[in-house]
Amino acid sequence: MQPLTLATMIAHEDSFLEQILKFDDQGQASSQSSSEGIPYVTNAFWTARQRQAHSLHEISYRACFKPQLPEFFIARLTQPGDTVYDPFMGRGTTPLQAALMGRCAVGNDINPLSILFTRPRLRPPTLEAVAQRLQQVDWQCGEIENEELLVFYSPQTLRHIYALRQWLLARAPIDRVVDPVDDWIRMVAINRLTGHSSGFFSVYTLPPNQAVSIASQRKINAKRNQTPVDRDIQKIILKKTRSLLRDAAIVNAAVGQPYSCLTTGPAERNAQLRAASVQLVITSPPFLDIVQYADDNWLRNWFSGIDTQSLAIAHHRHASDWQHMVAATLQELTRVVAVGGHIAFEVGEVRHGQVMLEQQVWAAAEGLPLERIAVMINQQTFSKTANCWGVDNNTQGTNSNRIVILRRIAD
Ligand SMILES: C[S@@+](CC[C@H](N)C(=O)[O-])C[C@H]1O[C@@H](n2cnc3c(N)ncnc32)[C@H](O)[C@@H]1O
């Protein structure tokens, strides 16, 4: 097969490729290169500083991407009313950004926790409604079932957490469409369970997207000579709610109007999505075995009543196994994406650049009805805020966004 070069790609008159080649919004021209026959286009296409993301995005999740990433593609590759899909949605950055831009928001993840993060922010309540609802909780009825959790919480705080958990499990089972205010309260609570400041229910621990084990927390407590103090759960939930809703003027105008659909299941097969119903996919799967999604979310899953062990979260030690998962996912995406629609498939740079995951994705797309347009590399500068939302994976060996751009062509 002839190697694919940038010149042959341009000859196809791909308008998106032309756009990224001409991109110089930051006063810097895109640079072009080629490796293993794959065309690369590099620039600072988006940065957290260049454009403030909507406050509703400020929910932490391991290896989430910046909202500016889906915004870049949604703005250029879709029209209002089009459908945007993420089969590995995590905290729901893609569907939320899609909804904020008046697109139909479709998202999926193997962990039902993702729906609990995403759905409430597609239909946010008012601060007053949240305050009133919190008063209905019977805060005195909580009973401590697992005393080991006292490594994170004072006895009173833990009783209140149990009371809220019990109230939510009874009123808002996770497998049903539930009241938006209850849904919101659970979303904020699972994001305040543990963290590194007094804005969280716990004593000092790791940032909120990474709950440590009971044994590790014991060590942290001993090292810091700390004991959990009482926290006012209602106050913390209201404070975070106020912060998330501070850009609400835009929310009311944009979120919740177009259709949205969130599902739980493997990315490799989403029976609830019709063929050719999607115009754009923006997604990022787990990168090999770099992030421990099950372990990091154990406390959030416990609070939500999710059995972490039962989840088939993708976790691949070998690049070849990972490539099989990607190939199966791309096969499914060719079913759901309409001809002319695009896929932006993001991967990180892992194992200090020894494994180039974008090359695996490029190879996995071969033979499918997908035009392989280019790999975009976004030059990143990390902000402190971005770090604490879990965007920066530097310590885990990831330091650049690499996005494989594909276009669905006729079979
Ligand atoms: C890199 S994270 C996605 C983060 C997302 N882009 C965000 O901004 O929050 C990968 C996600 O894939 C999910 N996942 C793992 N295996 C999966 C599978 N087989 N099908 C669907 N989702 C899966 C994990 O639960 C995790 O939420």
Side-chain angles (χ1 to χ4, degrees):
M1 201 186 99
Q2 281 279 89
L4 292 159
T5 64
L6 212 50
T8 55
M9 291 283 127
I10 294 169
H12 288 177
E13 284 193 347
D14 185 310
S15 64
F16 180 70
L17 180 60
E18 283 173 356
Q19 278 183 50
I20 58 172
L21 286 172
K22 288 182 192 151
F23 185 91
D24 67 351
D25 289 13
Q26 319 299 323
Q28 184 189 319
S30 295
S31 68
Q32 307 167 28
S33 58
S34 176
S35 173
E36 304 285 319
I38 302 172
Y40 284 79
V41 184
T42 305
N43 207 332
F45 292 106
W46 55 85
T47 68
R49 256 174 274 144
Q50 131 209 359
R51 200 181 153 90
Q52 189 72 37
H54 196 285
S55 58
L56 274 176
H57 281 292
E58 292 170 13
I59 287 294
S60 60
Y61 192 77
R62 292 284 280 153
C64 59
F65 39 54
K66 293 181 179 110
Q68 288 83 359
L69 186 158
E71 183 187 22
F72 183 92
F73 294 103
I74 294 167
R76 286 164 179 80
L77 292 169
T78 63
Q79 301 294 324
D82 280 354
T83 296
V84 179
Y85 174 48
D86 186 345
F88 300 95
M89 71 173 161
R91 68 171 175 167
T93 319
T94 296
L96 176 58
Q97 188 60 34
L100 286 166
M101 295 171 76
R103 274 62 168 176
C104 298
V106 181
N108 173 76
D109 200 283
I110 198 84
N111 191 343
L113 188 64
S114 286
I115 292 189
L116 306 186
F117 279 125
T118 311
R119 187 176 57 199
R121 290 179 294 144
L122 295 177
R123 42 180 198 164
T126 61
L127 181 65
E128 295 69 36
V130 175
Q132 279 172 14
R133 189 63 55 85
L134 282 171
Q135 285 172 13
Q136 293 173 17
V137 179
D138 181 359
W139 294 101
Q140 304 316 316
C141 78
E143 276 177 33
I144 298 175
E145 289 165 21
N146 179 0
E147 301 228 328
E148 291 202 305
L149 292 175
L150 290 167
V151 293
F152 294 107
Y153 310 107
S154 75
Q156 179 183 300
T157 308
L158 187 55
R159 273 195 294 276
H160 288 169
I161 290 173
Y162 267 105
L164 183 60
R165 178 176 185 266
Q166 192 176 313
W167 187 78
L168 285 167
L169 288 176
R171 283 177 62 99
I174 62 164
D175 54 350
R176 282 196 230 138
V177 177
V178 299
D179 179 275
V181 183
D182 296 346
D183 220 14
W184 178 273
I185 289 172
R186 174 168 47 208
M187 187 265 301
V188 178
I190 53 184
N191 279 280
R192 298 288 100 187
L193 279 176
T194 55
H196 47 307
S197 76
S198 58
F200 296 92
F201 304 162
S202 71
V203 67
Y204 175 95
T205 179
L206 290 195
N209 56 8
Q210 214 177 342
V212 298
S213 66
I214 302 269
S216 300
Q217 187 59 35
R218 255 186 218 118
K219 285 187 198 148
I220 294 174
N221 292 353
K223 193 167 170 204
R224 295 173 62 91
N225 194 20
Q226 62 180 17
T227 310
V229 295
D230 290 347
R231 302 274 199 228
D232 187 334
I233 287 187
Q234 291 191 63
K235 213 163 148 191
I236 291 172
I237 291 175
L238 284 175
K239 189 170 177 215
K240 182 64 182 172
T241 298
R242 192 176 295 112
S243 169
L244 284 166
L245 296 178
R246 70 181 186 275
D247 295 339
I250 318 173
V251 174
N252 294 337
V255 172
Q257 286 166 3
Y259 141 98
S260 68
C261 171
L262 304 174
T263 54
T264 297
E268 296 89 324
R269 180 70 194 161
N270 187 343
Q272 292 181 64
L273 262 189
R274 278 186 297 111
S277 59
V278 170
Q279 279 70 47
L280 174 63
V281 170
I282 308 164
T283 197
S284 171
F287 308 149
L288 301 175
D289 54 358
I290 305 289
V291 172
Q292 311 302 314
Y293 291 98
D295 293 345
D296 291 348
N297 284 316
W298 75 269
L299 204 51
R300 292 170 162 193
N301 286 342
W302 163 77
F303 185 82
S304 311
I306 296 168
D307 175 10
T308 304
Q309 299 314 319
S310 69
L311 303 174
I313 294 178
H315 199 254
H316 300 100
R317 174 172 270 278
H318 301 293
S320 55
D321 296 335
W322 186 82
Q323 198 188 43
H324 279 123
M325 184 269 293
V326 172
T329 303
L330 288 178
Q331 173 92 46
E332 164 68 353
L333 294 180
T334 61
R335 183 185 72 79
V336 300
V337 175
V339 171
H342 289 79
I343 299 171
F345 203 99
E346 193 261 344
V347 294
E349 184 186 307
V350 298
R351 297 185 185 158
H352 307 290
Q354 284 165 0
V355 183
M356 309 303 269
L357 292 181
E358 74 278 10
Q359 294 178 4
Q360 312 275 334
V361 178
W362 194 266
E366 188 164 5
L368 292 171
L370 293 170
E371 179 185 0
R372 295 179 292 179
I373 295 177
V375 173
M376 290 170 67
I377 299 187
N378 189 50
Q379 281 169 342
Q380 297 187 72
T381 44
F382 291 116
S383 67
K384 198 168 168 247
T385 318
N387 284 344
C388 78
W389 293 357
V391 177
D392 177 4
N393 293 320
N394 250 336
T395 53
Q396 299 292 335
T398 298
N399 57 21
S400 71
N401 289 125
R402 288 149 185 262
I403 301 103
V404 181
I405 310 297
L406 307 163
R407 183 171 54 193
R408 177 73 162 92
I409 53 176
D411 296 90

